[in-house]
Amino acid sequence: HPDRYRGEPAGGEGGGAQAAHEKFLLIAAAYETLKDEETRKDYDYMLDHPEEYYRHYYHYYSRRLAPKVDVTIVILVTVCAISVFQFFSWWSSYNEAINYLASVPKYRIQATEIARQQGLLNKTKEKGKNRRSKEEIREEEEEIIKDIIKNKIDIKGGYQKPKIYDILLFQILLAPFYWCKYIAWYCWWIYCFTIKGQEYGVEEKLYIVRRYMKMSQSQFDSLEDHQKETFLERQLWIRENYEV
């Protein structure tokens, strides 16, 4: 080893430390080449077929740079990590959305009315009459309103509660099912409206309008009902009317 070599100085019979370093590299390269049965076979093949130098060059570096861990495991771990991050990120966004909706008059008035009908606000005041401060009572009422918005009020679009089967892992696992479902639906559409010539129903009309508008289902669901009624009144499922 060059670091342990204490032989002749440069120019001597042994060649000095530089020669020891070069010989060490040569021995290390030989060991790396012959220690493994596969690389030994590649080396023997190169000796027998020197004209295939570039092929051997490719095999050598493809073997050295190949990942030591199974690619399937790497992909699975990556997908799981992304899915976990995705799920908790959605929950964080959902909680922020609930906090926002609790300040929107439309949802706050509905939630407050439901809470009064169920007597939840009165119970809070009675319960905290002597033991709690006004600030504590207000915070508890706020939590009741948020809980009602989550569970009792129809929230559409991007404010919907996250579902576990919406994360990447489940989307990949359920992809064959979704494809089969889509193909079956598409065949039904062609049969009913192209072959048989049936008239579109309300859902089909809104679906065509949504496709024209290039909106996702959640984006379209977030629209107000009166907007969708306007689409139907104007017959926007007809391409010419939509273009106008």
Side-chain angles (χ1 to χ4, degrees):
H1 194 283
D3 293 340
R4 301 178 61 84
Y5 183 73
R6 297 293 183 267
E8 302 85 353
E13 185 179 350
Q18 181 63 30
H21 178 70
E22 293 176 358
K23 183 174 288 188
F24 173 77
L25 295 179
L26 181 64
I27 295 172
Y31 176 74
E32 288 295 325
T33 302
L34 302 177
K35 70 174 183 178
D36 183 83
E37 184 176 352
E38 293 296 325
T39 56
R40 185 189 293 266
K41 288 181 180 179
D42 288 343
Y43 180 71
D44 292 338
Y45 184 86
M46 186 199 71
L47 294 179
D48 296 334
H49 303 82
E51 72 281 0
E52 299 183 17
Y53 172 79
Y54 291 105
R55 177 180 179 277
H56 173 73
Y57 187 85
Y58 166 76
H59 277 286
Y60 174 74
Y61 279 101
S62 64
R63 191 186 302 279
R64 289 203 58 176
L65 298 177
K68 304 302 181 183
V69 183
D70 189 355
V71 176
T72 306
I73 297 177
V74 174
I75 294 175
L76 181 61
V77 172
T78 303
V79 169
C80 290
I82 292 174
S83 300
V84 171
F85 173 79
Q86 190 180 35
F87 186 71
F88 284 103
S89 176
W90 281 354
W91 265 106
S92 177
S93 299
Y94 174 69
N95 289 328
E96 290 180 6
I98 293 299
N99 292 334
Y100 164 72
L101 293 177
S103 63
V104 176
K106 172 185 173 181
Y107 291 99
R108 189 173 187 86
I109 292 172
Q110 290 183 51
T112 304
E113 186 63 29
I114 293 173
R116 285 174 180 167
Q117 290 176 0
Q118 296 180 354
L120 297 176
L121 297 180
N122 294 332
K123 290 180 180 178
T124 302
K125 292 179 180 179
E126 292 175 0
K127 187 177 179 181
K129 188 173 182 179
N130 299 320
R131 299 180 181 178
R132 302 185 184 183
S133 63
K134 292 183 179 180
E135 183 65 24
E136 290 174 334
I137 294 174
R138 189 187 66 79
E139 290 178 358
E140 187 170 346
E141 289 178 350
E142 194 70 19
E143 290 299 321
I144 291 173
I145 290 174
K146 291 178 183 178
D147 188 63
I148 291 175
I149 292 175
K150 289 180 182 179
N151 302 310
K152 301 293 179 66
I153 296 178
D154 182 25
I155 302 175
K156 300 179 180 179
Y159 299 133
Q160 290 180 336
K161 184 180 293 186
K163 298 175 182 177
I164 194 168
Y165 54 78
D166 287 335
I167 63 176
L168 179 61
L169 178 61
F170 281 89
Q171 288 293 305
I172 293 175
L173 294 176
L174 295 174
F177 168 75
Y178 289 139
W179 272 107
C180 293
K181 185 178 178 181
Y182 174 78
I183 292 172
W185 172 85
Y186 188 75
C187 293
W188 169 84
W189 183 281
I190 295 296
Y191 174 74
C192 290
F193 304 115
T194 302
I195 298 177
K196 296 184 67 177
Q198 295 181 6
E199 293 187 2
Y200 295 127
V202 174
E203 291 184 4
E204 288 75 25
K205 292 175 181 177
L206 290 176
Y207 168 76
I208 295 173
V209 174
R210 179 173 69 82
R211 292 298 300 268
Y212 287 161
M213 298 177 72
K214 298 180 180 180
M215 299 177 69
S216 66
Q217 185 65 55
S218 61
Q219 289 175 323
F220 195 76
D221 289 341
S222 65
L223 298 177
E224 298 292 340
D225 291 337
H226 68 84
Q227 291 177 292
K228 298 177 183 178
E229 291 174 2
T230 303
F231 298 157
L232 296 175
E233 290 174 1
R234 296 183 178 180
Q235 298 183 345
L236 297 190
W237 68 88
I238 301 174
R239 187 73 191 189
E240 293 76 11
N241 295 343
Y242 176 78
E243 293 295 340
V244 172

